[in-house]
Structure formats: structure tokens, C-alpha cells
Amino acid sequence: MAVTFKVTGVEQGGWAVLQVSGELDLMTSPVLRQRVHDVVAEGHHSLVVDLSDVFFCDSSGVGVLIAVRRLIRSCQGRLRLILPDRGAEDGSHVNRVLGALGVRRLFDVHPDLGSATTDEAGPLSA
């Protein structure tokens, strides 16, 4: 059974948001890489990659995320990943993979789209 891999793009608050769903692996990671290159070529340098609906990620998927980070940094852009603690079954698979490989700290990780597309100016308190 083929699993559908999708990358859909929206814009929110000055951020280009790529919502990724399915398996991020050797077969599908070039699709994500190409979409990121397209978005950057269109002049978007603030990018959110929403991995909430990715339930499998292998080393080639991680490689693409690292390449994306490098690309965004090279154009002085900003990259944020959405990796919910829960979601895509029992906690984000991508979260666990990035943690296991010791590369999660390279990324600015947010739990949801709201926090990823907001520029927090610090806690709001009375």
C-alpha cells in the first residue's frame, strides 16, 4: 500500500509554511527539498516546516532538514519546525529521530503553528 506524501504551502503572518504529511524518506525527501528551494526562490526567507503529520522519517529526511537549515541560513532567513510532543500517533516520530541523532538542538522547534508564526516579544504579564 502506497502512503501519500504531501507538501502543501500556505502563508501566515509573513512566514511561508510548508505542511508535510506522510513518510519523509529516501523517495519523498527530494520533493520536500524542491518545495523549499521553490519557496526560497520566490523570495520567502522565513520558513516554517510543519512536520506534525509526518509519521516516519529516515536519515535522508533528516539530511534534507539539515540542508534546508543550511540554505535558509545562507540567505539570512529564519527556519522553524513544528514538532508536537504528541501527534502522529504516540509523540512525534521526527522529534524522536532528531533527538536520537543529536541534531534536534540545531532547530528552532515549536509545538504548533500559532507559536511558530508568532514572534514572541517575551511573556505578556500584567
Side-chain angles (χ1 to χ4, degrees):
M1 179 181 107
V3 175
T4 310
F5 177 79
K6 269 197 339 226
V7 181
T8 51
V10 296
E11 254 184 86
Q12 183 158 331
W15 290 84
V17 180
L18 290 179
Q19 291 160 323
V20 185
S21 63
E23 297 185 13
L24 187 54
D25 58 20
L26 189 61
M27 299 300 292
T28 59
S29 49
V31 177
L32 177 58
R33 182 186 307 242
Q34 187 57 52
R35 283 301 298 273
V36 169
H37 279 276
D38 293 346
V39 165
V40 170
E42 289 162 14
H44 297 286
H45 295 162
S46 293
L47 178 65
V48 173
V49 180
D50 184 349
L51 301 167
S52 309
D53 295 325
V54 173
F55 53 87
F56 176 79
C57 178
D58 69 5
S59 57
S60 53
V62 172
V64 165
L65 293 176
I66 291 172
V68 166
R69 176 180 179 267
R70 198 176 304 127
L71 172 68
I72 295 292
R73 283 175 66 112
S74 73
C75 51
Q76 278 78 51
R78 298 179 297 168
L79 171 67
R80 293 179 178 172
L81 303 183
I82 299 176
L83 292 171
D85 296 331
R86 302 217 177 291
E89 270 87 357
D90 54 348
S92 168
H93 174 77
V94 182
N95 223 342
R96 290 197 306 269
V97 170
L98 293 178
L101 293 173
V103 295
R104 190 179 183 282
R105 61 186 166 68
L106 297 177
F107 298 99
D108 185 1
V109 176
H110 293 261
D112 54 52
L113 186 59
S115 70
T117 55
T118 309
D119 288 315
E120 310 84 9
L124 295 171
S125 53

